[in-house]
Amino acid sequence: MSDIVAVEEIKERNKQLIGEVLEAYPEKFGKRRAKHLGTFEESKGECGIKSNIKSIPGVMTIRGCAYAGSKGVVWGPIKDMVHISHGPVGCGQYSWAARRNYYVGTTGVDSFVTMQFTSDFQEKDIVFGGDKKLSKIIDEIEELFPLNKGVSIQSECPIGLIGDDIEAVSKAKSKEYGKTIVPVRCEGFRGVSQSLGHHIANDAIRDWVFDKKHDRPARFESTPYDVAIIGDYNIGGDAWSSRILLEEMGLRVIAQWSGDGTLAELEATPKAKLNILHCYRSMNYISRHMEEKYGTPWVEYNFFGPSKIAGSLREIASHFDDTIKEGAERVIARYQALTDATIAKYRPRLEGKKVMLFVGGLRPRHVIGAYEDLGMEVVGTGYEFGHNDDYQRTTHYIKDGTLIYDDVTSYEFEKFVEKVQPDLVGSGIKEKYIFQKMGVPFRQMHSWDYSGPYHGYDGFAIFARDMDMAINAPVWRMTKTPW
Amino acid sequence: MSQNAEKVIDHFELFRGPEYTEMLANKKCMFEDPVLPEELTRVTEWTKSMEYREKNFAREALTINPAKACQPLGAVFAALGFEATLPFVHGSQGCVAYYRSHFSRHFKEPTSAVSSSMTEDAAVFGGLNNLIDGMANAFSLYKPKMIAVSTTCMAEVIGDDLNAYIKNAKEKGSVPQDFDVPFAHTPAFVGSHVTGYDNALKGIIEHFWNGKAATTPRLERKANSKLNFIGGFDGYTVGNMREIKRLFDLMGVEYTILGDNSDVWDTPSDGEFRMYDGGTRLEDAANAIHAQATISMQEFCTVKTLDLIEASGQEVIAFNHPIGVEGTDRFLMEVSRLTGKPIPDAIAKERGRLVDAIADSNAHIHGKKFALYGDPDLTLGLAAFLLELGAEPTHILSTNGDKDWEQKVQALLASSPFGKNCHAYSGKDLWHMRSLLFTEPVDFLIGNTYGKFLERDTKTPLIRVGFPIFDRHHHHRYPVWGYQGGLNVLVTILDKIFDHMDATTNDVSKNDYSFDIIR
């Protein structure tokens, strides 16, 4: 069978499959979901789906909320600030230390990432407002955690509904203590997913860090090779295994946003000669702002898998002089042996295996190259909270006939996997055990299943090892009874 | 370069290599604006002081590292205990993503629940349409036998009326008129997850007993000889429920478990995903009104539920998460008294085996000081067991405990000479506990996974009992109730004590004379 025929058959299967899952919905909602499901048509160059639209109620969307996008993603990893989950206790509790944003510091003294600070709203706070309580909380933080560099206020749903003025409290307290205090309006009901939370969090950095900097000059002399890593949350150490490559090629990383990041790094970022952006979805806003306001150019990169890493190193280097360009080649050459050995070891075990992904941020496209480096094929992918520009970028990664599902519901995902029968599913904790029970190997692709890092050359070896251990674990032979 | 394809190293070892440690040291000194080392040391030491403890305990507004979650988490727990029931949480959708993740991280199992996905427009106009559409979608896709509705704080703040909304949804045809849709308002700014469990369970029972939202006549109670059993919000529900059923079966007791999560959170890996499995059958939930009595294993989880049940004419009996010999004795004797069924020899033998195990091992526990924290009932049950073992509980803390809980703990402590130096702390959090552990050290700490931060800071060895446990696997599959459960808790405590002994007696030619092979 020729490849063209095979692809046409896959497209036909996808069409049928999508038709089948849509039939399960009430008509009105089947029509709405239809816009989010499709097949990549290479000839048209588009995924052919709509995105960044409200989830329909009652369907077990995998999405989270704006608070998760701000506190959980953007702000939470800034290690020397205290991030208050402002409102009832739950949001902060469920997101407490759950995202593995690695950092080095003395927790509870000069670093606070894996702590849960909450205003633990009670009924009286809802009725009478929480501003006085917030004021007092900031006083108590100053008293008990004097080495904090600043405070952020991560709004939970009630804050925006009861009319609290957290901006006024922030201004007053910032003046009183001479510290950065950032109110973030990331109430969970805002927007349609985590995504608006990222945007709001980016804007808060613009308005309350950049524009209100307490006139602290950066503590270092600039060099022509200063860059900032934007949109790496250092999950399992990802930003570190990225930073090391940039430094080895001769660049100097003056800031990490936001994994293992500090307020000083945020403040110094406008001095970068180039912002290099990994998670486009969550931090393109501030990158564009810095470009407009400070003239800092930005470039997207992808540090998953040796093919994309090499391409990205060269792309980054193209913004600098020959020293850096040579540096990039030197780094690529230096890691060639590791890459070759990794592929020699794992590719034979993984060749031809099919993968379905459903993740957030950048990963539904960014990790595809890493799978392909191992001889694997991504046959379906989708974003929890992607926008049109994410799907547009995805077209550069995927093959003709790839099944696309935006904001997939648990029902759809299960049916898709049942029919497509991939060898591996990569998604999140809520999906993991569903597919494992179905006998399908699974890796969490948000948290790296508590492994990592996956970024950079060091990370690729771990990625390869983990995919192998997921797919080739003996356990999958035993799911069916032998009698 | 430390990475190697032959022996791949991950975050545990990778970043300890010289190239990374140097890189991170450079990052810190060049770009982080770090605190000076001597200042860091000074403040670190100060946080361990009595002065700091006093400031810490003077906190009025800030909560740090609390040991409690919010109401709807408990509501989802309660709903999942019923046959083919889909928990439906009315409000913002992110909350449901959090509950599902939280339970899945503890049980290592899927957790199914849906949200009405309310956004800005619903904040302005109310979430009626979200509930109508959400029920229709959930009903079509997931084919539940029952949808149990609870609320996030968003829906509560704007004042959505579930009773009216659900009626409206039925009129609009989202679900059939006679479809079971119990509900409970579960504001996150009142109480904790145990309150939410109570409200949701009460809502379900009320629905079945009081005429299913006026679609059927109220049930008339015709007393029979059955027992109802309620476990409460319990991280060990999988192991515990099976143990209780085994004990009831051994005794020949006729019973109904009201809220049985043991199967839905323990489905096999055999190629099929079971979204629903096990659970209390809906007709059994209705017929539970006729039981002669209801036993709750967790008083503070079931305050309102037991009021409702008592008002139906049943006797209600509440325990505080009984663990150990005497707690289990009281539980079984109550079951025996209520049903007239004697406690069989087989169970008496199990009791004897637990007593035997305690006799064998208590020398290693006797006189050891313990700090413990957790939900109100669990801390009471554990404290009672520690007293039986001759341990000395010293700090007992419950963030979601109230003054009643505190009094109950003090009464328990007063009942034993081993409890005389202990204090109960209601409404306090794990940052308070940190100060307690520094200023009044103990030998061991008992708590959930978050206790590992206390273990790291204060070097108090942590024994993991509670919810959530994210960083140890499968303990929820083993009971902590019954004599068998007591044995499991005993072994958990002993294992940590012995591991700690070995880890502190292995310094060669310094202290390894005590590195004994027989303990």
Side-chain angles (χ1 to χ4, degrees), chain A residues 263-372:
Chain A
L263 180 61
E265 288 168 70
L266 294 187
E267 289 178 346
T269 306
K271 294 182 73 168
K273 300 295 183 294
L274 180 70
N275 280 326
I276 66 163
L277 176 59
H278 208 239
C279 183
Y280 170 84
R281 180 71 278 130
S282 60
M283 285 199 174
N284 77 85
Y285 318 101
I286 199 73
S287 305
R288 291 176 200 280
H289 172 72
M290 283 191 266
E291 183 175 43
E292 278 166 29
K293 179 145 186 195
Y294 308 105
T296 319
W298 54 280
V299 59
E300 290 174 64
Y301 71 110
N302 177 349
F303 270 8
F304 289 103
S307 305
K308 292 295 170 192
I309 297 172
S312 294
L313 289 173
R314 290 182 176 123
E315 170 71 24
I316 292 166
S318 74
H319 292 258
F320 295 94
D321 61 18
D322 285 350
T323 2
I324 302 299
K325 288 181 185 127
E326 284 156 22
E329 295 308 322
R330 196 174 57 242
V331 171
I332 293 164
R334 180 165 187 255
Y335 286 93
Q336 195 61 51
L338 171 64
T339 297
D340 291 346
T342 303
I343 289 174
K345 181 175 177 184
Y346 292 106
R347 186 163 178 141
R349 303 183 199 177
L350 297 171
E351 187 83 51
K353 301 288 186 192
K354 291 185 167 46
V355 185
M356 288 177 77
L357 298 170
F358 186 76
V359 217
L362 69 162
R363 291 161 179 175
R365 62 175 178 277
H366 262 44
V367 298
I368 291 174
Y371 282 113
E372 288 176 352

Side-chain angles (χ1 to χ4, degrees), chain B residues 215-474:
Chain B
T215 58
T216 56
R218 290 168 71 100
L219 293 179
E220 283 290 321
R221 180 166 179 266
K222 298 187 192 91
N224 60 27
S225 60
K226 281 180 134 183
L227 272 191
N228 296 326
F229 178 89
I230 301 172
F233 189 110
D234 174 24
Y236 297 89
T237 187
V238 172
N240 276 342
M241 281 300 179
R242 290 181 185 160
E243 181 65 8
I244 292 299
K245 286 188 250 186
R246 189 183 68 85
L247 290 170
F248 281 167
D249 290 343
L250 273 173
M251 288 180 75
V253 171
E254 285 187 286
Y255 61 91
T256 303
I257 308 264
L258 286 172
D260 180 359
N261 303 58
S262 61
D263 286 342
V264 75
W265 273 326
D266 194 19
T267 62
S269 273
D270 59 0
E272 179 196 349
F273 163 54
R274 297 161 179 81
M275 181 167 159
Y276 309 111
D277 202 13
T280 307
R281 289 189 305 170
L282 304 187
E283 70 218 60
D284 291 347
N287 288 330
I289 192 172
H290 307 302
Q292 60 154 320
T294 295
I295 291 180
S296 163
M297 287 301 246
Q298 299 200 64
E299 181 187 12
F300 291 94
C301 273
T302 49
V303 177
K304 291 181 198 161
T305 302
L306 291 189
D307 282 351
L308 174 85
I309 293 173
E310 195 171 27
S312 78
Q314 291 185 30
E315 183 174 353
V316 296
I317 291 132
F319 293 93
N320 299 109
H321 209 296
I323 295 175
V325 180
E326 289 169 327
T328 307
D329 290 350
R330 274 194 296 274
F331 165 65
L332 291 173
M333 286 158 72
E334 278 295 67
V335 174
S336 177
R337 176 184 69 79
L338 289 163
T339 59
K341 307 266 185 188
I343 300 169
D345 284 351
I347 295 178
K349 269 193 171 173
E350 289 180 21
R351 181 184 191 279
R353 290 183 195 120
L354 175 59
V355 174
D356 183 67
I358 294 171
D360 295 345
S361 315
N362 77 90
H364 293 289
I365 304 177
H366 192 101
K368 295 273 193 306
K369 290 185 171 180
F370 284 77
L372 67 112
Y373 68 87
D375 283 344
D377 293 293
L378 178 64
T379 43
L380 275 159
L382 277 171
F385 189 40
L386 288 174
L387 294 172
E388 280 179 0
L389 299 172
E392 294 179 15
T394 304
H395 315 300
I396 304 179
L397 182 149
S398 183
T399 309
N400 48 353
D402 56 11
K403 291 292 162 198
D404 287 347
W405 169 83
E406 210 171 290
Q407 278 173 10
K408 258 200 132 118
V409 177
Q410 293 298 358
L412 172 69
L413 296 166
S415 72
S416 161
F418 294 95
K420 71 172 189 287
N421 294 317
C422 183
H423 194 78
Y425 299 91
S426 66
K428 299 298 180 196
D429 55 43
L430 301 188
W431 200 252
H432 293 114
M433 181 63 100
R434 186 178 186 269
S435 281
L436 292 173
L437 294 176
F438 274 127
T439 54
E440 291 176 73
V442 297
D443 298 300
F444 294 94
L445 169 67
I446 300 183
N448 60 15
T449 280
Y450 303 119
K452 79 190 294 176
F453 297 126
L454 294 168
E455 181 179 40
R456 175 195 58 195
D457 290 359
T458 70
K459 307 301 173 209
T460 316
L462 170 67
I463 295 162
R464 285 171 178 76
V465 182
F467 174 92
I469 307 283
F470 293 153
D471 62 341
R472 296 292 185 273
H473 294 193
H474 306 308

